Amino acid sequence: MHHRETPSGSLLIHRHRPRRRVRRPAAALTALLTLAATALTIGLATGAQAAALSSAPRASASASTADFGCARPVHAGQVRCFGVLKAHRTASGRMSPFTTGSPTTVGYVPSDLRSAYNLGSTSGSGRTVAIVDAMDDPNAESDLATYRSAYGLPSCTTANGCFRKVNQNGQASPMPSGDYGWAEEISLDLDMVSATCPGCHILLVEANSANTPDLMTAEDTAATTPGVVSVSDSWGGSEDNTITAADSHFKHSGVAITASSGDSGYGASWPASSPYVTAVGGTSLSKASNSRGWTETAWSGAGSGCSAYEAKPSWQHDSGCAKRTVADVSAVADPNTGVAVYDTYNNCGGGSLCDTELQLGLAQGADGWVEVGGTSASSPIIASVYALAGNTSQVVNGSYPYSHTSALNDVTSGSNGLCGGSYLCTAGPGYDGPTGLGTPNGTGAF
């Protein structure tokens, strides 16, 4: 499988947390000298340099977003995650995260998401949602605990049997190497399951790498673990002639599998194009004074379109694609109407100096509360709605929503690119590519 890479700034994510860690004087001095040199370089930039910076590659959706650090595969056969952070472009041309935040000031919180999607008091008690990602997040359980505590959600730990983290073979050790970008993806996935299905158990399966064979091993481990009713895959890559041979890893009876449609706008990606998954597109979600209390439009970054390789499923009847069409359903994905996430895995230790290094792209990782999006957010939301519905024994691949459209919010405006104005990239009444059949209005469509 070959990756379709999206140009973006290299800076990862952080939010300030009021803590300090002792740094060695030499390391601190080196960091300060580097900061000073960076500032001097910026200050001395010529007009020609400034023009070059202003034309630097933009992030996946707009100048106000940047991809996670797991978005740059180095060879064919790797995938990228589909997480995007809310950020801004500095005078130097870098993508910098917004650097202040708390549990109540960055992004939508669990009560917002449950209100927007009419999820009421359902909790999914005891059902397990599995998350498949690459690499290790050493802080996954502790960061999850902070997120859940901030919003009064039930404790979900290894000790109480709610949370479990395993390697791609289902074992507690050895775990893969840590990765700062994939850790942010993991934090996003775990937090969205918690927000959407607070009573669900969570299984995190970490593949040894972002290579497709390792992820397929992890996928089978997740889907065959007793108690798992749904699996979320917030990653993907461009299609090629090898994808159909790997599709069997997404075919597991009684388990709903969701896959993010992508963050690069119009164009299909895999595994979202697999006929065995529910392909999840993305929306921009805003509070409104209407009866629902919310409004949604298609997010400009959401992936969509026609597969070049996957056969059209029997339950899909749109006329513009002879083969599989992406997406099936959708949920919030725009980082500018993003969700609150907590992540602290970084290589600068925390504190104000670490925060500055993260802003300037001199360190990697995150340092607290961040506002993020991407279809990496919408996939675990939908996987969790499947768990809330408790109906996966009746679910066959991505077909169920197609016969239950009355339980979806139809998204009728917005687009994600140029396709001659057709439904493949332009939202409208009924089915369309960027948002599929719509977003959850309760659990009836799942």
Side-chain angles (χ1 to χ4, degrees):
M1 179 175 67
H2 300 285
H3 169 69
R4 181 182 70 242
E5 183 171 327
T6 299
S8 72
S10 60
L11 188 61
L12 298 183
I13 306 166
H14 101 292
R15 283 284 193 267
H16 175 66
R17 290 203 310 145
R19 62 189 176 91
R20 296 287 190 275
R21 294 185 184 174
V22 177
R23 297 175 58 86
R24 292 177 298 173
L29 179 60
T30 300
L32 287 171
L33 289 173
T34 305
L35 293 175
T38 301
L40 180 62
T41 300
I42 294 170
L44 295 177
T46 65
Q49 289 171 325
L53 290 170
S54 68
S55 62
R58 298 286 173 169
S60 57
S62 73
S64 61
T65 63
D67 292 321
F68 288 175
C70 47
R72 292 183 177 273
V74 296
H75 60 74
Q78 285 187 323
V79 303
R80 54 158 292 185
C81 72
F82 290 131
V84 186
L85 68 137
K86 186 174 182 179
H88 67 284
R89 189 169 293 281
T90 67
S92 69
R94 295 179 184 274
M95 292 306 302
S96 177
F98 290 102
T99 58
T100 58
S102 71
T104 58
T105 62
V106 291
Y108 291 130
V109 303
S111 59
D112 292 322
L113 296 175
R114 292 176 67 79
S115 168
Y117 297 126
N118 190 27
L119 299 177
S121 60
T122 54
S123 70
S125 181
R127 300 175 190 130
T128 301
V129 177
I131 297 297
V132 173
D133 280 314
M135 313 306 294
D136 182 38
D137 176 4
N139 297 354
E141 184 167 2
S142 60
D143 286 348
L144 175 64
T146 298
Y147 179 89
R148 294 179 73 101
S149 176
Y151 302 118
L153 304 179
S155 174
C156 189
T157 66
T158 301
N160 68 16
C162 174
F163 176 73
R164 185 181 173 208
K165 183 174 83 167
V166 299
N167 62 24
Q168 66 184 39
N169 297 311
Q171 304 301 314
S173 65
M175 301 309 297
S177 300
D179 183 275
Y180 303 111
W182 279 101
E184 181 54 34
E185 175 61 49
I186 290 168
S187 292
L188 169 59
D189 291 340
L190 299 181
D191 291 354
M192 289 306 94
V193 175
S194 298
T196 310
C197 188
C200 282
H201 291 183
I202 305 174
L203 172 67
L204 171 61
V205 184
E206 296 181 336
N208 290 341
S209 73
N211 296 325
T212 303
D214 285 339
L215 285 162
M216 296 302 96
T217 298
E219 192 75 19
D220 289 332
T221 293
T224 58
T225 297
V228 169
V229 298
S230 60
V231 180
S232 174
D233 301 310
S234 292
W235 40 265
S238 56
E239 296 185 310
D240 64 21
N241 61 9
T242 68
I243 60 175
T244 56
D247 278 337
S248 61
H249 297 282
F250 302 98
K251 188 177 182 180
H252 295 275
S253 179
V255 178
I257 297 180
T258 64
S260 302
S261 71
D263 293 345
S264 302
Y266 179 57
S269 67
W270 182 90
S273 63
S274 170
Y276 301 121
V277 309
T278 299
V280 186
T283 68
S284 300
L285 175 69
S286 301
K287 292 184 178 180
S289 58
N290 57 22
S291 59
R292 178 187 171 194
W294 299 87
T295 185
E296 287 177 281
T297 61
W299 175 47
S300 62
S304 72
C306 300
S307 173
Y309 298 92
E310 301 283 12
K312 198 167 198 67
S314 60
W315 35 266
Q316 204 169 46
H317 301 290
D318 60 301
S319 60
C321 281
K323 295 185 181 294
R324 169 76 155 115
T325 313
V326 174
D328 296 314
V329 293
S330 54
V332 61
D334 184 349
N336 293 306
T337 65
V339 296
V341 168
Y342 188 79
D343 176 59
T344 62
Y345 186 47
N346 61 60
N347 66 346
C348 55
S352 58
L353 182 57
C354 175
D355 292 348
T356 303
E357 292 174 359
L358 286 162
Q359 289 180 61
L360 293 174
L362 303 176
Q364 293 181 305
D367 189 30
W369 292 98
V370 291
E371 182 172 354
V372 301
T375 53
S376 277
S378 55
S379 178
I381 289 173
I382 296 300
S384 300
V385 176
Y386 269 117
L388 286 173
N391 189 50
T392 55
S393 64
Q394 304 299 314
V395 169
V396 179
N397 306 324
S399 65
Y400 199 83
Y402 285 80
S403 57
H404 297 83
T405 56
S406 63
L408 294 165
N409 301 302
D410 192 10
V411 181
T412 60
S413 63
S415 68
N416 65 352
L418 300 176
C419 61
S422 83
Y423 73 95
L424 295 174
C425 70
T426 306
Y431 179 83
D432 58 72
T435 70
L437 299 163
T439 63
N441 181 10
T443 62
F446 300 92

